[in-house]
């Protein structure tokens, strides 16, 4: 397994102020969810500290927190490794995501205004451009923005809190299949925007979001079979 070597330009600058251990945690979590640090990769404290320009202590504290949250595995006598998600873990999370986002789409269809629909349509346009340019990183970021906007338009604080808890893991699973999903995913997004713009078409919005998120779940499960 490889150590904590990182692609050029992948390491974020640590934001200030705030406890250093929290900033290191956010930086490492960002690198994991975008897969700059890949599942199974060995995380060497001294190397990470050097990349981030900090001492080893906040890195150690951040790795312990990431271990508690399931992002990192701490193995006795071996060190820290990025967690390798099991098929069951991914399937369970993406199933929950389907339930949350289908309800969010239904609620969004009841209250989205013209400006909201235009904002969604603009994200879709940018997403289609990113796919056409084979810019996977931008497409992944725009996908997250699109779904976050749907959650926002739902106007349900509890739903938003639950969705936030799974958002980063969803991005973790989505990234390796983003190119495979390609244009089809953004066509599905465009259909969702049309349903939400209809206001009284709650049933269609719910169905389309359920089909869309289920497509992502099935694609993740089938990613190694092609």
């Amino acid at each position: 397994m490889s150590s904590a070597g990182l692609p050029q330009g992948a390491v974020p600058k640590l934001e200030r102020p705030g406890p250093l251990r929290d900033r290191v945690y956010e930086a490492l979590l960002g690198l994991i969810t975008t897969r700059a640090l890949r599942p199974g990769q060995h995380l060497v404290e001294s190397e990470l500290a050097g990349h981030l320009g900090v001492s080893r202590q906040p890195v150690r504290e951040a790795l312990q927190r990431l271990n508690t949250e399931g992002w990192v595995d701490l193995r006795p006598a071996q060190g820290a490794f990025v967690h390798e998600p099991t098929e069951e873990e991914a399937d369970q999370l993406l199933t929950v995501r389907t339930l949350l986002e289908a309800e969010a789409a239904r609620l969004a269809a009841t209250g989205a205004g013209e400006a909201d629909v235009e904002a969604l349509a603009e994200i879709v346009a940018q997403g289609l451009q990113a796919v056409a340019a084979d810019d996977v990183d931008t497409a992944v970021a725009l996908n997250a923005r699109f779904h976050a906007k749907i959650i926002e338009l739902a106007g349900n604080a509890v739903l938003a809190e639950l969705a936030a808890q799974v958002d980063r893991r969803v991005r973790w699973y989505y990234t390796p299949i983003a190119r495979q999903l390609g244009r089809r995913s953004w066509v599905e997004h465009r259909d969702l925007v049309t349903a939400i713009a209809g206001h009284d078409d709650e049933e269609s919005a719910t169905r389309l979001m359920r089909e869309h998120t289920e497509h992502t779940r099935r694609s993740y499960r089938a990613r190694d079979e092609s």
Side-chain angles (χ1 to χ4, degrees):
M1 296 181 179
S2 59
S3 64
L6 291 168
Q8 186 174 3
V11 181
K13 293 183 179 179
L14 298 183
E15 299 294 332
R16 303 178 187 279
L20 187 57
R21 64 179 179 274
D22 292 345
R23 289 184 279 126
V24 171
Y25 162 84
E26 287 293 337
L28 293 179
L29 182 54
L31 291 168
I32 290 171
T33 54
T34 58
R35 297 193 175 234
L37 292 171
R38 303 188 63 78
Q41 186 165 346
H42 187 198
L43 303 175
V44 180
E45 287 182 9
S46 59
E47 292 182 9
L48 292 171
H51 283 305
L52 296 172
V54 298
S55 68
R56 293 176 63 175
Q57 182 60 30
V59 172
R60 183 177 299 116
E61 293 173 352
L63 290 175
Q64 290 171 346
R65 179 177 172 185
L66 290 165
N67 171 250
T68 299
E69 296 177 357
W71 293 102
V72 165
D73 298 327
L74 297 179
R75 304 175 188 171
Q78 295 184 54
F81 297 82
V82 178
H83 179 66
E84 297 185 75
T86 65
E87 293 298 319
E88 183 178 7
E89 288 172 356
D91 198 60
Q92 289 180 359
L93 184 96
L94 293 174
T95 296
V96 170
R97 182 223 187 184
T98 295
L99 296 173
L100 292 173
E101 298 217 15
E103 176 63 9
R106 184 188 72 80
L107 292 172
T110 67
E114 184 176 345
D116 299 321
V117 172
E118 290 177 355
L120 287 171
E122 177 59 25
I123 296 172
V124 171
Q126 293 176 15
L128 287 167
Q129 290 175 357
V131 169
D134 197 29
D135 186 348
V136 174
D137 290 343
T138 298
V140 169
L142 287 167
N143 180 74
R145 190 189 306 173
F146 179 85
H147 286 274
K149 184 65 175 177
I150 298 290
I151 296 294
E152 175 190 328
L153 295 180
N156 185 306
V158 175
L159 191 153
E161 181 179 355
L162 293 172
Q165 292 178 26
V166 303
D167 175 68
R168 274 175 155 160
R169 290 189 186 273
V170 167
R171 180 167 177 167
W172 195 30
Y173 298 133
Y174 181 81
T175 297
I177 60 172
R179 180 174 281 112
Q180 172 188 338
L181 291 171
R183 179 179 172 81
R184 173 178 172 179
S185 181
W186 289 97
V187 170
E188 292 172 354
H189 285 164
R190 188 169 59 195
D191 292 341
L192 266 166
V193 174
T194 299
I196 290 171
H199 298 298
D200 59 348
D201 201 3
E202 298 175 39
E203 184 177 341
S204 291
T206 304
R207 175 180 55 79
L208 288 168
M209 180 64 90
R210 183 177 293 113
E211 291 173 352
H212 172 66
T213 52
E214 279 292 298
H215 178 209
T216 300
R217 185 176 69 88
R218 290 194 304 271
S219 295
Y220 184 85
R221 294 187 66 180
R223 71 196 183 284
D224 294 326
E225 297 174 7
S226 55

